[in-house]
Amino acid sequence: MKIALERAVLLGQLQTVSRVASTRSAIQALSGVQLATVDGRCELRATDMDVGLRVTVAAEIAREGVVVLPARLLLDVVRALPAPDVSLELRSAEQDVELVSGKAVFHIRTLRTEDFPPFPEPDEDAAVSLPAQAFVSTALKVAGSASRDETRPVLTGILVSASDRELRMVATDSYRLSVKETTLESPLQASFEVIVPARALQELARVAAHIGEDEPLRVSVRQNQVLFVLDGVTLSSRLIDGQFPNYRQLLPESFEHELRIAGPELTEVVRRISLLAQKNAPLRLSFTPGELTVSAQTPDVGEARESMPLAFQGEPLEIGFNPEFLRAGLEAIEEGDVLLKLISPLRPGLIEAGDNSRFQYLIMPIRLNV
């Protein structure tokens, strides 16, 4: 293999794909980036067996071939190159790649190409096309509620459902639950429901951040994989097997209190008072007629409280929440009012967007010591 390309182009695409290269696998090739020339084009590929990325990079191809190089080292070298152009040539006898830019010459040892897994190909006939920005913004609303505990794999994923004009995503870590529904402008050609690792959708969001708003996203669901194709980038991910919790059963049918609160104001109060909710201390929300008081106390650290007017009626109510979880739910509603729905101090609370944007955030309370 022998190719020549612009350093800035190579650097940008390396920064994209190298994020998914494995840092823990016993298979050394998975820590690398595969450079492959296919049908007159050059591709960069990386995978950790769960998530994979494949991007096309503009290059002059003098000789075709395939090579795998250490991802982190290659990225650092390309970032430091002195000239705007770079050439890479595989030296099979030396088992390395010669990289030349200006007067700088590097020889980087290759990794075993045969250990690098083949990439799945999207099934174009069965692919579903969706607006990329609608898909990604929906995913980002719920991704923070997915679990990071690998002992319950199904909770590390996001339930993605799409049919007709409806896109729905759900995530939960058993302490909180996020549901976001998005209405699509055009009906879909087909429907699907899969559990996708939250990490894969967060990676897709990073890719989408650099493309235009009108760019379509092609989704191809296979037996145990899903492929996303977006503006020349292909992201593949394994699907999570298992039964996702019946989230509809978790959402209470009725509430004792439904309170409309200025979202930005409440969010800022929660952020401030949370500074004194350390060492697993809860954030306390105390409701009295006409007023909400947010407070926190951490032994040997200090305490804080702040009140704000609120149209609350009835018997006083005090409920405690994990400050990080509460803040995340409020921050997911970027502007306007929030609806806070409560039953009792020991029943979950529900946060909804006041503008009817179909976002729900259920959060379990923390039992308070009087």
Side-chain angles (χ1 to χ4, degrees), residues 21-22 25-35 45 47 66-74 90-91 94-97 108-116:
S22 176
S25 175
I27 303 174
Q28 196 175 15
L30 294 181
S31 68
V33 169
Q34 184 185 72
L35 288 80
R45 306 166 180 170
T47 181
V66 180
V67 67
V68 180
L69 294 171
R72 176 52 55 187
L73 176 60
L74 180 61
L90 172 63
R91 306 193 306 169
E94 291 82 1
Q95 295 184 331
D96 68 20
V97 164
I108 302 176
R109 297 279 294 195
T110 59
L111 303 177
R112 283 171 54 91
T113 304
E114 53 268 34
D115 290 344
F116 198 90

Side-chain angles (χ1 to χ4, degrees), residues 189-309:
Q189 315 94 299
S191 61
F192 61 87
E193 182 171 277
V194 290
I195 306 174
V196 184
R199 173 175 163 250
L201 294 184
Q202 289 168 326
E203 196 60 53
L204 180 66
R206 293 189 183 98
V207 173
H210 304 290
I211 59 99
E213 289 188 7
D214 299 328
E215 198 70 33
L217 172 69
R218 301 279 290 172
V219 183
S220 179
V221 178
R222 300 159 63 100
Q223 183 175 5
N224 59 355
Q225 284 184 319
V226 60
L227 279 76
F228 302 97
V229 181
L230 178 63
D231 194 32
V233 178
T234 301
L235 185 147
S236 61
S237 172
R238 66 175 177 86
L239 294 176
I240 299 177
D241 291 327
Q243 184 68 40
F244 198 84
N246 187 341
Y247 67 92
R248 291 184 176 89
Q249 289 184 346
L250 301 176
L251 294 169
E253 294 183 358
S254 61
F255 296 86
E256 292 295 321
H257 304 279
E258 296 190 13
L259 308 165
R260 180 177 288 268
I261 311 174
E265 182 180 355
L266 178 59
T267 302
E268 286 303 315
V269 171
V270 167
R271 284 173 179 161
R272 281 193 291 271
I273 304 305
S274 293
L275 296 173
L276 271 295
Q278 301 179 17
K279 302 177 182 178
N280 298 319
L283 199 68
R284 293 172 178 256
L285 277 64
S286 301
F287 299 88
T288 55
E291 189 175 64
L292 164 62
T293 301
V294 182
S295 63
Q297 180 180 21
T298 304
D300 303 324
V301 175
E303 58 185 83
R305 64 190 305 111
E306 185 171 348
S307 298
M308 57 186 296

Side-chain angles (χ1 to χ4, degrees), residues 7-34:
R7 185 191 74 90
V9 171
L10 177 59
L11 177 61
Q13 300 294 50
L14 274 175
Q15 288 173 325
T16 296
V17 301
S18 62
R19 285 195 301 264
V20 304
S22 176
T23 57
R24 295 177 293 180
S25 175
I27 303 174
Q28 196 175 15
L30 294 181
S31 68
V33 169
Q34 184 185 72

Side-chain angles (χ1 to χ4, degrees), residues 155-168:
L155 297 187
T156 66
I158 295 175
L159 179 66
V160 181
S161 306
S163 63
D164 195 31
R165 295 175 182 269
E166 182 80 8
L167 174 65
R168 181 188 302 110

Side-chain angles (χ1 to χ4, degrees), residues 298-355:
T298 304
D300 303 324
V301 175
E303 58 185 83
R305 64 190 305 111
E306 185 171 348
S307 298
M308 57 186 296
L310 178 66
F312 178 85
Q313 296 178 344
E315 293 296 319
L317 169 68
E318 185 174 54
I319 189 169
F321 293 115
N322 177 300
E324 178 187 346
F325 292 174
L326 180 60
R327 190 171 65 247
L330 293 172
E331 290 174 349
I333 301 173
E334 297 169 2
E335 57 186 22
D337 292 346
V338 300
L339 296 180
L340 180 60
K341 301 183 178 182
L342 302 171
I343 301 173
S344 71
L346 299 181
R347 297 287 301 278
L350 184 68
I351 296 172
E352 293 183 348
D355 61 0

